[in-house]
Amino acid sequence: MRLGMPQWAGTLAVKAAAFITVMCCALAALLGVLVHVSVTNQTVGQARDLALSRLADATQAYEAGDALLPGAGVDPEGLPSPLRTLAAAGERGTMVATHRGRPIMWAAGPAAGHRALAVEVDYSQQSRTIAGLDTSILWSSGVAIGVTVLLAVFAVTRVTRRLHGTARVARRISAGDLDARVDDPRTKDPTRPQDEVAVVAAALDIMASSLQSKLLSEQRFTADVAHELRTPLTGLHAAAELLPAGRPTELVRDRVAALRTLTEDLLEISRLDTGRERLEVDSEELGALARRVVRASGTDTEVRVVADAWVETDRRRLERVLGNLVANAHKHGGPPVVLTVDGPVVTVRDHGAGYPEYLVAHGPQRFRTEGGAKGHGLGLTIAVGQAEVLGARLTFANAVDGGAVATLQLPAAE
């Protein structure tokens, strides 16, 4: 079963880039706001102090009856209404407003007759300074964010590339390549810092080495046992042939034959495990080969040729695969058993209870059967191993209307 990723998930590099971008934008925005507020407050404060200073001079001149300086007046044109109201109420205040297309800092205070004495200070330079500062903040923030994201993506990509390499090695190991190793250079040099990826790579290499050692030990044990059994079984078979005819003799010969078959199957599996099998390729007609297999099996199996095909294959191994599938269908399934040839695809179907769930999900496992079935689970294991040697693909499934279906996909002849 393959676990699916949630909808929001993506590659590590994309998520890291998005996270870094968001954090950079947030930090740039925060710093930009702080700088903007600080500079604006300082600029406005200086303009306000200047306006209030001129208002104080204008107030002295107004109270002394002297002429007011330029930029000062009573209820001048353009004075903002809120500031006019404030001055009429006897308070002093300042306010920035646009007058005649220019930003002006106004300062106003009370005058006789509930009027307002006000002065104006040109605020254009300060406004341009703040606007220029905001533009500089935006540009510098954009450049900083871009450079940071590129550097972060580069750094994260190096990590993800190593992770992808480790994942590829893990898939090769799960596919049967026990010689695959990550060989991260950081795990070989103790002076280099060992990051988390290197630790995972080292653990995977150790696991693969341990697994390979155990599997090789099991394969050697299976081959040794099978070889050691051949000699006494040969003698036992010869001795059984010398026994007088009768029911006990038949039982002994039957058990000896079963034990010899099991031993030969174990030897064949050991050869498949060690990869010593070699192909003898020839061009074969699938329909005729399927009929020969059924005749040799001596079973009541129907052969259907939907579309015949010629394939480049090893005839002996292909007959072994199809023979095991037919024998398994009759032994563990139910009639009728149908062998169908449709181009380079051969299916063997029975109408029994179907394959066990573990077999459909993970393939056959040696020495494992379920549901009280007799056997050692070696027939289908050998069929899968021989199919791999042939470069074919053997899959197992259960039909919707009942029964087991084994499908052999052969490479078509060129």
Side-chain angles (χ1 to χ4, degrees):
M1 179 179 179
R2 186 175 181 179
L3 298 178
M5 297 180 68
Q7 294 296 324
W8 51 265
T11 63
L12 179 60
V14 172
K15 290 191 288 187
F19 175 76
I20 293 171
T21 301
V22 170
M23 294 304 297
C24 287
C25 290
L27 181 60
L30 177 61
L31 292 177
V33 169
L34 291 177
V35 172
H36 173 83
V37 171
S38 176
V39 173
T40 300
N41 288 339
Q42 182 179 1
T43 304
V44 171
Q46 293 174 351
R48 180 182 293 112
D49 292 342
L50 178 60
L52 290 175
S53 175
R54 291 186 179 181
L55 177 62
D57 294 340
T59 301
Q60 291 180 357
Y62 176 76
E63 291 176 352
D66 297 335
L68 297 177
L69 297 174
V74 178
D75 290 336
E77 179 186 358
L79 181 65
S81 299
L83 194 58
R84 188 189 304 274
T85 303
L86 182 68
E91 301 290 337
R92 302 175 68 185
T94 59
M95 183 176 180
V96 177
T98 302
H99 179 51
R100 296 175 181 174
R102 294 184 304 139
I104 299 296
M105 170 65 76
W106 291 95
H114 298 286
R115 292 184 298 172
L117 175 62
V119 296
E120 58 180 272
V121 176
D122 188 6
Y123 195 69
S124 300
Q125 182 62 40
Q126 292 86 340
S127 179
R128 286 192 296 270
T129 300
I130 295 175
L133 175 65
D134 292 341
T135 301
S136 299
I137 291 175
L138 290 176
W139 278 102
S140 59
S141 298
V143 172
I145 291 172
V147 172
T148 303
V149 170
L150 289 177
L151 293 176
V153 169
F154 173 75
V156 173
T157 301
R158 294 185 62 188
V159 175
T160 55
R161 188 182 299 115
R162 293 167 59 198
L163 288 174
H164 284 306
T166 304
R168 283 194 298 270
V169 171
R171 285 192 290 268
R172 288 172 56 191
I173 294 173
S174 65
D177 184 6
L178 299 182
D179 293 323
R181 297 292 185 273
V182 179
D183 287 332
D184 193 316
R186 290 169 179 78
T187 62
K188 301 179 181 299
D189 187 358
T191 62
R192 301 183 66 176
Q194 301 293 308
D195 58 6
E196 289 78 2
V197 180
V199 172
V200 172
L204 181 62
D205 287 347
I206 294 173
M207 181 200 70
S209 298
S210 176
L211 180 62
Q212 184 179 38
S213 176
K214 291 179 180 179
L215 287 178
L216 290 177
S217 298
E218 292 179 1
Q219 291 170 5
R220 285 194 297 268
F221 175 77
T222 301
D224 292 343
V225 168
H227 279 290
E228 292 297 326
L229 285 175
R230 294 185 87 178
T231 301
L233 276 176
T234 301
L236 187 59
H237 180 265
E241 293 297 325
L242 298 176
L243 293 175
R247 181 60 180 166
T249 299
E250 292 178 2
L251 292 176
V252 171
R253 290 175 178 174
D254 179 70
R255 293 300 87 196
V256 170
L259 191 55
R260 290 187 69 181
T261 301
L262 174 59
T263 303
E264 294 299 327
D265 286 346
L266 288 174
L267 284 172
E268 186 171 358
I269 286 178
S270 68
R271 289 194 298 269
L272 291 171
D273 286 341
T274 55
R276 296 199 303 264
E277 297 291 322
R278 294 294 180 267
L279 288 176
E280 297 179 3
V281 179
D282 197 2
S283 183
E284 297 289 338
E285 186 180 7
L286 274 182
L289 187 144
R291 294 187 183 94
R292 287 200 305 269
V293 169
V294 170
R295 283 196 302 270
S297 69
T299 60
D300 184 16
T301 302
E302 179 185 355
V303 178
R304 297 176 184 174
V305 180
V306 178
D308 209 346
W310 287 83
V311 294
E312 298 290 336
T313 188
D314 187 320
R315 178 181 57 82
R316 181 183 65 84
R317 298 184 191 282
L318 182 55
E319 289 178 348
R320 176 70 159 150
V321 174
L322 297 181
N324 281 15
L325 294 178
V326 170
N328 184 82
H330 282 281
K331 187 174 184 179
H332 301 290
V337 176
V338 182
L339 188 153
T340 304
V341 176
D342 188 1
V345 179
V346 182
T347 59
V348 177
R349 178 185 176 180
D350 63 59
H351 291 75
Y355 291 121
E357 292 184 2
Y358 82 87
L359 193 149
V360 175
H362 306 291
Q365 300 177 19
R366 58 192 72 174
F367 296 106
R368 177 176 179 178
T369 57
E370 291 188 357
K374 296 180 180 179
H376 305 285
L378 299 181
L380 293 183
T381 302
I382 292 174
V384 171
Q386 294 290 10
E388 290 179 355
V389 175
L390 292 172
R393 183 169 179 264
L394 180 57
T395 57
F396 303 93
N398 290 322
V400 177
D401 54 347
V405 181
T407 303
L408 180 68
Q409 175 73 54
L410 291 162
E414 297 182 358

